[in-house]
Amino acid sequence: MEKINETSVTEFFLKGLSGYPRLEIIFFVLILVMYMVILLGNGILIVISILDPHLHTPMYFFLSNLSFLDICYTSTSIPPTLVSFLSQRKTISFSGCAVQMFLGLAMGTTECVLLAMMAFDRYVAICNPLRYPIIMSKIVYVQMAAGSWVAGGVNSLVQTILVVQLPFCRNNVINHFSCEILAVMKLACADISGNEFIMLVATTVFTLTPLLLIVVSYTLIISSILKIHSAEGRSKAFSTCSAHLTVVIIFYGTILFMYMKPKSKQSLNSDKLQATDKLISMFYGVMTPMMNPLIYSLRNKDIKEAVKLLGRKVFSK
């Protein structure tokens, strides 16, 4: 019997909303529209950051990286999810699941680190404006962005390798829209305490440490802004970092709610709790990348002017 129970898994079944066919159609249309907005909004931000010489600064370099990251992140999960909504066969191969785990975790980790880099950039710009061009030279901010991508890739590679080496038995149903690494890890028919400990360490290093740096940076920023005597000066200083702060609150707020909420009541009304988790996951995976360009464009005069200028050039032709 042990040999039968230890049959290796070659594919996974993504449960998603398979029990709710009407909701699948509604969410297919909704997510498709959101995905188009994500591609359009973030694509425009990348284009204007490249074409407008006035936006060739560390802040907009980081912003274009964030936009590219959001496009990559959503493109790893949304297209397969849309296909699964319309398909009767909601399965994914073991190797395909591993790739999806790697890309999803890599993009998520990179965004955590990148947001911390952006917070440091705002700290230097507001608290040390005279030294800003020296501290945030092109070499420095390019290395900071590259370091964010490398950190995300290395962390995800290690975590993914550790998970795919686990033995998987008969249970191959992932109660999620995609191969989320925690959901896959829990299907293993072996002790995963070692994996959980390593993931806890990685979460502390790549998620909570950047959050701590962001909190420290904005504490110093707010303290510096409050020392400005004129109301106009305070308003101008705060406007340069308000968009980033809004994005940080939405991004980390969703993560903390997903992974740090009490789990003692999960046995009660588990179906409702699982449905809630899926919707929160969808908000984290779709809404945040969609809102980022909207937040930055609505709160940033430079981007508004760049969009208007780009529009004039396009229509003048």
Side-chain angles (χ1 to χ4, degrees), residues 183-194:
V184 175
M185 190 167 66
K186 291 177 181 177
L187 297 180
C189 49
D191 182 19
I192 60 171
S193 58

Side-chain angles (χ1 to χ4, degrees), residues 269-300:
N269 300 321
S270 60
D271 290 339
K272 291 182 178 179
L273 283 170
Q274 289 169 358
T276 303
D277 287 345
K278 291 175 188 177
L279 292 175
I280 294 170
S281 175
M282 187 181 300
F283 176 82
Y284 168 66
V286 181
M287 289 295 293
T288 305
M290 186 184 73
M291 292 174 69
N292 284 353
L294 297 175
I295 292 169
Y296 277 102
S297 60
L298 290 174
R299 291 177 171 268
N300 194 296

Side-chain angles (χ1 to χ4, degrees), residues 40-105:
L40 180 63
N42 286 288
I44 289 174
L45 277 181
I46 293 172
V47 171
I48 63 174
S49 296
I50 295 172
L51 296 181
D52 193 331
H54 297 95
L55 301 182
H56 292 175
T57 63
M59 175 181 172
Y60 296 107
F61 178 76
F62 286 129
L63 179 56
S64 61
N65 270 265
L66 182 63
S67 294
F68 180 67
L69 180 66
D70 284 337
I71 290 174
C72 293
Y73 179 77
T74 52
S75 296
T76 63
S77 59
I78 292 180
T81 300
L82 293 175
V83 172
S84 71
F85 282 154
L86 300 180
S87 175
Q88 293 295 324
R89 183 176 173 82
K90 304 179 188 298
T91 58
I92 184 171
S93 66
F94 189 90
S95 58
C97 188
V99 171
Q100 201 173 79
M101 278 192 295
F102 169 75
L103 292 175
L105 184 58

